[in-house]
Amino acid sequence: MEAKAKPAPPPAIRKPPTREEIMERIRENLKGIKHKIIVLSGKGGVGKSAVTANLAAVLAKEGHSVGVFDYDFHGPAMARMLGVLGKSPSALPFGIFPVTGVLGIKVFSLAFLLPDERTPVIWRGPLKAKALQELMTNIIWGNLDFLLFDLPPGTGDEALNIAQNIPDVKGAIVVTIPSVVSTVAVEKSVEFCKKLNIPLLGVIENMSYFKCPYCGQITEVFGKGAGKRIAKDESIRLLGKIPLDPEMARCLDKGSPMIVCKPDSESTKSFEAIAQSLLQLLS
Ligand SMILES: Nc1ncnc2c1ncn2[C@@H]1O[C@H](COP(=O)(O)OP(=O)(O)O)[C@@H](O)[C@H]1O
Ligand SMILES: [Mg+2]
């Protein structure tokens, strides 16, 4: 009688990687990036994404290699603002290539993982952390001068996940508008960074004022002096003020940051000045 073939041994159960191993993989994958910078704010709608997109574009225009990671599950905006909405990153067996947007900016947005802009993500914190770890291990950024992380409002899961999973973050830029409601929320973000030892690069006062295009009169629509006050109270730099510019929303909706869409505008000049301060700070 023929001997029965031995049953194949059960597949070896692979142990899940330890936290140290995960961190090592992320560190290895991000080692070609010089400056990792997060853009955050306690409040929504104050212009974090607009600042990220415009700053990325100004830096790219000046010849820096720039990537943007949109870590906003609930309101990802970078794909639209950087002109790559509807495109998909190429996923290969060895990694995922980000999409190349306006001015050569490498973009990865959580919007790429969703079927359309209206589909909500209903995920709890740990899943968001896992997604961040997976993406940071697998996205092939290559060598970059800057990788900007656009965050959702507040100091919740996403901000904490970045703080705990991204090694060597160069610093945080906090964005506020001049209203008291916004400044109070932004001060929380500042305290959050201090508690987690994330260096504060400075505060940007967005929608600082509106300059009438006809008579030049300036109206401080949301109040006055918030950026200066936060900078003083929290001992951080005021990186700059950006006017409320109706063209900005229109241009970003079309996927065109101000340096491309309205290169001579006052808001473009503000972003250029902010980029210069940032470069000086990092040099
Ligand atoms: N300085 C500005 N002037 C005009 N519109 C702006 C300005 N900053 C941001 N916006 C617009 O306001 C809206 C909210 O900004 P967004 O960057 O999405 O806010 P956040 O990311 O903080 O939630 C967007 O449509 C954006 O284009
Ligand atoms: Mg946003």
Side-chain angles (χ1 to χ4, degrees):
M1 210 170 68
E2 217 175 290
K4 252 192 184 171
K6 264 193 185 167
I13 298 169
R14 259 204 283 153
K15 272 202 288 176
T18 61
R19 176 154 175 81
E20 286 68 36
E21 285 165 344
I22 294 171
M23 286 306 287
E24 192 42 47
R25 284 180 200 170
I26 296 177
R27 190 181 296 280
E28 178 62 24
N29 194 44
L30 301 184
K31 70 172 187 233
I33 300 167
K34 267 196 214 144
H35 303 301
K36 286 164 246 153
I37 293 174
I38 61 176
V39 180
L40 79 167
S41 165
K43 264 257 162 277
V46 295
K48 292 175 292 301
S49 302
V51 164
T52 309
N54 281 301
L55 207 51
V58 167
L59 290 167
K61 181 86 186 187
E62 285 176 5
H64 301 280
S65 47
V66 184
V68 169
F69 181 73
D70 184 355
Y71 190 41
D72 188 343
F73 283 92
H74 306 290
M78 283 300 114
R80 179 178 285 281
M81 289 181 172
L82 293 170
V84 291
L85 194 66
K87 295 202 181 165
S88 315
S90 346
L92 299 172
F94 51 88
I96 308 165
F97 282 100
V99 170
T100 302
V102 62
L103 296 169
I105 299 168
K106 292 183 180 174
V107 189
F108 190 92
S109 170
L110 294 172
F112 296 151
L113 308 178
L114 303 172
D116 58 55
E117 276 190 298
R118 291 192 189 153
T119 307
V121 173
I122 306 168
W123 282 8
R124 287 189 193 280
L127 207 51
K128 293 178 183 172
K130 186 92 185 82
L132 179 70
Q133 290 168 352
E134 284 289 327
L135 291 169
M136 284 300 132
T137 313
N138 289 299
I139 297 175
I140 302 165
W141 296 105
N143 293 330
L144 288 180
D145 294 321
F146 290 93
L147 179 59
L148 307 183
F149 291 81
D150 183 32
L151 264 61
T155 47
D157 291 323
E158 291 83 349
L160 196 59
N161 288 341
I162 294 274
Q164 292 178 338
N165 292 290
I166 306 300
D168 312 320
V169 170
K170 243 326 136 49
I173 295 173
V174 284
V175 182
T176 190
I177 61 167
S179 73
V180 175
V181 173
S182 169
T183 43
V184 170
V186 166
E187 275 170 325
K188 274 193 198 150
S189 307
V190 172
E191 290 303 317
F192 171 88
C193 290
K194 287 182 181 169
K195 284 211 165 75
L196 292 169
N197 295 322
I198 301 172
L200 281 148
L201 297 171
V203 57
I204 292 179
E205 186 181 288
N206 190 26
M207 308 191 197
S208 189
Y209 57 90
F210 174 73
K211 190 171 181 182
C212 173
Y214 306 106
C215 67
Q217 191 188 336
I218 285 184
T219 310
E220 284 157 327
V221 182
F222 296 112
K224 194 176 176 167
K228 212 169 170 183
R229 194 179 60 72
I230 296 179
K232 184 165 172 276
D233 290 355
E234 301 287 347
S235 310
I236 59 174
R237 254 169 235 90
L238 174 61
L239 283 172
K241 295 182 185 188
I242 300 153
L244 180 66
D245 179 351
E247 293 293 345
M248 195 187 302
R250 273 182 234 142
C251 290
L252 290 174
D253 281 351
K254 287 190 295 184
S256 186
M258 294 307 278
I259 189 124
V260 178
C261 189
K262 299 278 165 195
D264 298 322
S265 64
E266 195 159 323
S267 33
T268 301
K269 298 212 164 68
S270 313
F271 283 115
E272 285 172 332
I274 289 172
Q276 281 316 314
S277 311
L278 197 62
L279 288 168
Q280 256 174 19
L281 204 66
L282 297 171
S283 64

